[in-house]
Amino acid sequence: MLNRRKFLQLSTLAAPLLSLKNMASNGNAQTKPIVVSTWNNGKEVNAEAWKILSKNGRSLDAVEAGARYVEDTIDCCIGLGGYPDRDGIVTLDACIMDEHANCGSVGAIEQIKHPVSVARKIMETTPHIMLVGDGAQQFAIENGFKKEPKELSAPAKEAYQNWLKKSEYKPEINIENKKGNGPFAPPFFDDGSPNHDTMGLVAIDASGNMSGAVTTSGMAFKIHGRVGDSPIIGAGLFVDNEVGAATSSGLGEEVIRICGTHVVVEYMRHGLSPEAACKKAIERIINRDMQRAKTLQVGFLALNKKGEYGAYAVQKGFVFAVKSNGEEKIVPAKYFFDLGVT
Ligand code: SD4
């Protein structure tokens, strides 16, 4: 039986559309610059980006620096230390987009430490947007990126060996409040959310220009060659310098299906606040198949041109980090389902 809280959350799906006016602002407008990042390791990522933003640097440089920082750490979900696919190979997805709608992207690249910088190189030096697999790696090496060893990080190796015991192919992702286990699980917030995941960040610089970047090792134990939403412009990241920017985390297939971040930005274009826009995009995922939605997680995070930010998720547990002159904090996103262990 649904408890009252869950009923209230679900009933919002059936509620008539609120007027755009009511949803237009959540009142957290910031002075620029500002950067917002997914998950609670967004705090350190924001700090890296802030080194550039606070010196009147370009938002494109700031988001790249933030993504590179986390690509250098050992993390379940980002960089070469992340969990591998079901063949035991780490493949990375990343993208970047600037204020002129220039964008670059890499999918399923192997043995390259900074896929976000490869994405930027593609954006700045080729007529293309996306390179994948061997071609992306070849391009990276030709452009001075070092080919790194293939070995898994110690925690990834342990997680993979555990997974191999059953080799269950379950693309169920990241329902934080189920409390995972394994080497990357702790530390958790009190509410059960983990301290890391795919990194998506969007920023406004002192000149008022917006950029974004995403970097990830994607879904753990995926089929070799699978590419998620993260490197797909309009799915894992979208920036429109006149309106705002959005990024996503969670089960990429669900985000791709609805062109998630493009949808969020379009809702903002029509006057919705970042949080309301993220909520409307999440509703699309839930309305498609509510039973299925209960088994997965997707979170959207958005920032509008005014510096207002907001997020919404399918499940409890998605958090994001904010850094501006006035604020430095982690914010739990609102959500539809609380299907936790309680
Ligand atoms: C993917 N969206 O590969 C990524 C994974 C992720 O939280 O964001 N996890 O589908």
Side-chain angles (χ1 to χ4, degrees):
M1 262 239 300
L2 290 176
N3 63 27
R4 185 177 138 73
R5 188 165 170 208
K6 283 175 198 160
F7 173 76
L8 286 176
Q9 284 162 357
L10 291 173
S11 66
T12 60
L13 288 171
L17 275 180
L18 291 174
S19 77
L20 293 185
K21 205 171 166 200
N22 287 342
M23 299 171 91
S25 173
N26 51 2
N28 58 18
Q30 301 291 311
T31 51
K32 47 186 198 261
I34 179 169
V35 55
V36 295
S37 301
T38 54
W39 302 109
N40 54 4
N41 58 350
K43 194 173 173 203
E44 291 91 65
V45 167
N46 285 354
E48 280 305 301
W50 194 251
K51 288 179 190 166
I52 293 169
L53 293 172
S54 60
K55 290 185 194 122
N56 297 337
R58 194 175 166 203
S59 57
L60 183 71
D61 296 327
V63 294
E64 184 189 11
R68 283 179 66 94
Y69 169 82
V70 79
E71 285 170 352
D72 270 332
T73 62
I74 298 278
D75 185 291
C76 69
C77 315
I78 300 159
L80 291 176
Y83 287 164
D85 62 24
R86 65 183 191 177
D87 296 345
I89 300 165
V90 177
T91 66
L92 304 178
D93 297 339
C95 72
I96 194 159
M97 188 165 188
D98 76 5
E99 71 271 22
H100 304 296
N102 295 315
C103 40
S105 160
V106 279
I109 193 169
E110 294 175 31
Q111 294 176 263
I112 299 292
K113 204 174 191 179
H114 289 300
V116 73
S117 296
V118 181
R120 183 166 178 177
K121 199 84 184 167
I122 294 166
M123 170 175 107
E124 290 181 335
T125 67
T126 82
H128 307 305
I129 289 176
M130 187 169 201
L131 296 179
V132 301
D134 291 347
Q137 189 194 64
Q138 186 187 329
F139 171 84
I141 292 164
E142 281 167 12
N143 282 278
F145 291 82
K146 186 173 156 227
K147 187 170 176 184
E148 304 288 340
K150 223 171 183 166
E151 281 96 75
L152 297 181
S153 67
K157 200 174 202 172
E158 191 184 332
Y160 182 55
Q161 276 158 1
N162 282 336
W163 178 80
L164 278 176
K165 287 179 196 154
K166 286 192 179 165
S167 299
E168 269 181 324
Y169 188 62
K170 263 205 209 158
E172 179 185 293
I173 207 162
N174 194 31
I175 298 177
E176 295 77 20
N177 50 15
K178 278 191 177 169
K179 290 224 178 201
N181 46 37
F184 286 116
F188 282 89
F189 277 148
D190 290 339
D191 70 2
S193 59
N195 72 339
H196 44 64
D197 212 312
T198 287
M199 177 49 55
L201 68 162
V202 292
I204 308 179
D205 60 30
S207 308
N209 287 321
M210 307 190 81
S211 299
V214 181
T215 186
T216 187
S217 51
M219 184 195 293
F221 319 127
K222 60 197 173 188
I223 293 175
H224 184 63
R226 178 262 188 190
V227 172
D229 58 323
S230 304
I232 297 179
I233 302 299
L237 176 70
F238 195 67
V239 178
D240 182 322
N241 202 43
E242 299 204 337
V243 176
T247 186
S248 64
S249 187
L251 185 58
E253 282 73 3
E254 297 305 313
V255 178
I256 294 169
R257 245 186 262 290
I258 65 155
C259 297
T261 54
H262 184 260
V263 161
V264 171
V265 172
E266 289 310 296
Y267 277 128
M268 292 197 288
R269 188 190 309 282
H270 291 287
L272 267 59
S273 72
E275 182 184 299
C278 291
K279 185 178 179 201
K280 296 287 290 173
I282 291 291
E283 280 177 9
R284 288 203 186 184
I285 292 171
I286 294 174
N287 287 338
R288 195 178 79 83
D289 186 339
M290 189 177 291
Q291 287 315 312
R292 179 169 155 68
K294 288 179 184 171
T295 70
L296 59 89
Q297 173 66 307
V298 169
F300 290 113
L301 168 62
L303 177 67
N304 69 16
K305 188 73 180 166
K306 289 187 271 184
E308 295 169 328
Y309 54 80
Y312 219 90
V314 174
Q315 314 268 349
K316 183 179 180 183
F318 180 50
V319 300
F320 63 97
V322 181
K323 173 75 185 138
S324 67
N325 277 313
E327 285 188 310
E328 181 171 358
K329 61 183 181 183
I330 303 276
V331 185
K334 292 189 185 155
Y335 51 88
F336 274 105
F337 300 123
D338 179 359
L339 304 177
V341 282
T342 51

